[in-house]
Amino acid sequence: MASFLATATTFNWQVGLETDIGGGRENQDDCFVWIKRDDNIIVLCVLDGHGREVGKIASESAKACLFKHLDENYRSLIESPAEFLVNAHGIAHEHIRNSFRAELKRQGFDVITTADGYLMKRKQATDNWSCVHGGTSCSIVALINHDLYIANVGDSTGILCSSFGVLAASDLLYVRDAAVPEEKSRGTLAKNQTHQAVEEAGTSAPGSPIRPAGAAAVHSDTGAVAPETALTAPATTENRNNTLVITAEHSPECPYEYERLLSFRAREGSPTVPALVVVYDSNSSDKTRCAPCFERDSAGKPCVTNKGSYYKNVRKEWASLVSTPPYAQFQDALAFTRSLGDLHLHTYGVTHLPEVQRLDMNAAFQQLHTLRAVKKQQAVASSSSANAATTGESDPATGTAKNETAESGSGLTAEEVADSTLCLVLATDGVWDNWLYEDVNKFVMDASCLGAVGAAADGAKRVTISFMQRNALYAKRNFGSNADNATGIVLYISQDPRMPSL
């Protein structure tokens, strides 16, 4: 077995990205990868546009704006990653507003900005004004040396994958929520809950994971320095897994978001209910009449009702949405609580401001390093049965028989890649609708995929193409002609300096 440091400031990486139109007439998804190799930075971004008239404009304009912002200001990303990512979302949001206005005017519309900041359009002076609806999700992942920063709005999810159970939710440190005061953020709430549990148990509080000295998180709204917080208790060996969701949840079923929406604006005549209607989707044309996602218990805590009408994905998650209230001048709805654009919904609590989290990749690789010896013992015990198994199933990356060698010649074997590599998958919901998270792990960490990555620098590209082809098959089976646009980025990160790299 090759030996290398359990900690590092730089990694080798491979990346691939693909997009698929699905069953639609227009692909409103977009994505990009931005690399500054000399400074050990790689940035991934996926965007899922929505809105019949402006969805594509939203994702394309955000992509162009973010890429330009990185080119011109990447030093700020190095110096203040969280602040940079928050500001980037704000800049992209405003660029989308301006792009909507410019494109609609080019199409011959009169366009005005209301006092509340949303846009209205009309073709003729005798026409009624109509509201401009649409926007995009935005998920950005930035690997800066050994720190992985994640900032997102919407439901374009990212997961981190390993061949072994080395990942835990407590490894993901909460930096900030730019949309709420610090005392109401997920990080503070989690910290308070931990302290309360400790006091009730009558024990001393364990130390919360924080950033290394000299690298404190700065909150730009107050200028105050605050420690990062783990949202869950420190993990033991027993409750670590091989897959970790790294993006924040902005589903209408999220209690944290429900309370944030209420804090922003309460319903007229109902001070304990958000102005934005939070409901399960159904066939009803009037979304305000759909079943509510929340009811409050006797202590006033919002509780998920689970009264959904249909599942939106193979993980059996209910289809839900937020909708403008019945008294709104324009009716509008969205399947998540944060986005870029969606200017009208922003007046009711949807926000473009992201949540930012951080993961120390050195710590994750240290866990991987620790388990290598265990993995070797397990491999010896199972080798006889594994060698005897012959299924005839094709390898994801190569199409060869499952038990054949995926690659030959120079480079790393699949086993060597598994020993030293983590994989990050960032994708839009057109991908996630068709997969269990653990099945994505099984695909990208399959021996054939790891063999492709270990053999050549284009291995990740080959894996991504194969992964998206498989997703297209699943999408057609699950949704037919209604299959959504789908976009995915696959990034392999390795500690082994021998791994072929970009």
Side-chain angles (χ1 to χ4, degrees):
M1 182 189 303
S3 61
F4 40 87
L5 295 176
T7 59
T9 56
T10 63
F11 303 108
N12 281 3
W13 62 60
Q14 290 185 22
V15 66
L17 67 164
E18 289 290 324
T19 188
D20 176 58
I21 195 172
R25 293 177 297 176
E26 179 180 66
N27 192 346
Q28 297 186 338
D29 282 5
D30 219 323
C31 65
F32 68 83
V33 174
W34 185 94
I35 297 174
K36 194 73 173 176
R37 200 61 175 102
D38 291 343
D39 292 289
N40 303 316
I41 302 173
I42 182 169
V43 179
L44 320 178
C45 179
V46 296
L47 303 128
D48 185 353
H50 51 265
R52 182 172 55 187
E53 295 180 325
V54 296
K56 190 172 181 65
I57 299 170
S59 59
E60 286 185 346
S61 62
K63 171 184 174 178
C65 174
L66 289 167
F67 205 93
K68 182 173 183 289
H69 187 59
L70 282 162
D71 277 343
E72 296 176 351
N73 302 281
Y74 73 91
R75 286 292 171 190
S76 297
L77 175 62
I78 299 173
E79 295 165 2
S80 302
E83 185 174 0
F84 177 93
L85 292 170
V86 170
N87 291 339
H89 277 76
I91 291 168
H93 178 68
E94 288 304 316
H95 187 69
I96 287 172
R97 187 199 309 270
N98 295 334
S99 297
F100 284 175
R101 184 187 297 108
E103 177 60 23
L104 291 170
K105 285 185 175 180
R106 189 192 68 80
Q107 295 176 11
F109 287 96
D110 292 330
V111 183
I112 62 171
T113 303
T114 68
D116 289 327
Y118 62 89
L119 303 180
M120 296 195 300
K121 63 181 178 66
R122 66 182 183 185
K123 263 288 177 66
Q124 305 292 335
T126 55
D127 294 341
N128 292 326
W129 290 102
S130 62
C131 185
V132 177
H133 302 293
T136 182
S137 72
C138 180
S139 295
I140 303 175
V141 177
L143 179 59
I144 308 166
N145 293 317
H146 63 85
D147 278 325
L148 191 72
Y149 282 88
I150 308 100
N152 71 288
V153 294
D155 63 353
S156 293
T157 302
I159 65 172
L160 191 63
C161 303
S162 172
S163 294
F164 316 106
V166 299
L167 303 171
S170 59
D171 299 335
L172 197 60
L173 302 183
Y174 196 81
V175 181
R176 65 172 299 195
D177 184 346
V180 302
E182 174 64 26
E183 65 273 12
K184 294 184 178 181
S185 74
R186 283 193 220 242
T188 300
L189 294 175
K191 189 186 304 181
N192 291 342
Q193 290 171 359
T194 300
H195 288 170
Q196 181 180 354
V198 168
E199 289 173 0
E200 291 174 353
T203 59
S204 58
S208 296
I210 60 174
R211 288 176 66 83
V218 177
H219 299 276
S220 59
D221 51 345
T222 63
V225 176
E228 296 169 343
T229 305
L231 296 184
T232 61
T236 64
T237 302
E238 289 73 23
N239 62 12
R240 289 187 174 274
N241 299 295
N242 61 4
T243 307
L244 176 65
V245 176
I246 60 173
T247 42
E249 182 194 359
H250 298 148
S251 159
E253 281 191 295
C254 176
Y256 173 78
E257 286 294 274
Y258 185 79
E259 294 288 63
R260 183 187 66 77
L261 294 172
L262 175 61
S263 296
F264 181 88
R265 185 172 176 180
R267 186 86 49 86
E268 292 181 6
S270 301
T272 62
V273 179
L276 207 59
V277 179
V278 184
V279 295
Y280 291 107
D281 193 18
S282 73
N283 293 327
S284 172
S285 58
D286 183 358
K287 300 305 180 184
T288 64
R289 295 184 177 274
C290 295
C293 291
F294 291 96
E295 294 175 351
R296 292 194 180 272
D297 62 16
S298 58
K301 179 181 177 181
C303 299
V304 178
T305 63
N306 283 310
K307 295 180 179 178
S309 176
Y310 64 94
Y311 295 129
K312 63 182 180 181
N313 56 43
V314 298
R315 295 185 303 282
K316 296 185 177 181
E317 296 171 348
W318 294 117
S320 56
L321 55 84
V322 293
S323 171
T324 46
Y327 51 79
Q329 181 180 1
F330 302 104
Q331 292 303 302
D332 208 348
L334 184 63
F336 37 89
T337 58
R338 303 193 189 204
S339 74
L340 305 183
D342 289 298
L343 305 170
H344 181 238
L345 285 168
H346 271 62
T347 66
Y348 290 94
V350 169
T351 181
H352 63 277
L353 295 172
E355 294 181 87
V356 184
Q357 302 179 88
R358 181 182 73 90
L359 192 145
D360 184 348
M361 294 297 290
N362 274 341
F365 277 114
Q366 181 61 56
Q367 290 289 336
L368 183 58
H369 178 78
T370 302
L371 284 182
R372 283 195 196 112
V374 176
K375 168 258 178 182
K376 279 293 184 182
Q377 294 173 353
Q378 293 173 339
V380 170
S382 61
S383 61
S384 58
S385 59
N387 290 335
T390 304
T391 64
E393 182 181 348
S394 294
D395 280 342
T398 65
T400 60
K402 190 75 173 181
N403 291 326
E404 291 182 12
T405 302
E407 300 288 347
S408 61
S410 61
L412 300 180
T413 66
E415 183 178 15
E416 289 173 323
V417 175
D419 282 344
S420 61
T421 303
L422 300 173
C423 181
L424 192 156
V425 181
L426 186 66
T428 61
D429 64 344
V431 171
W432 299 118
D433 285 350
N434 301 299
W435 296 80
L436 303 179
Y437 295 135
E438 54 266 33
D439 286 342
V440 172
N441 182 303
K442 291 176 182 177
F443 190 102
V444 298
M445 304 306 287
D446 183 88
S448 66
C449 293
L450 297 182
V453 170
D458 68 345
K461 293 181 180 179
R462 295 172 58 191
V463 172
T464 307
I465 291 170
S466 181
F467 175 64
M468 293 301 293
Q469 288 174 342
R470 182 72 61 86
N471 182 73
L473 293 175
Y474 290 168
K476 185 175 182 180
R477 181 188 68 190
N478 294 330
F479 301 100
S481 61
N482 293 319
D484 198 2
N485 304 152
T487 297
I489 303 178
V490 179
L491 172 69
Y492 288 92
I493 308 165
S494 177
Q495 271 195 316
D496 195 328
R498 300 174 300 160
M499 188 183 93
S501 183
L502 295 175

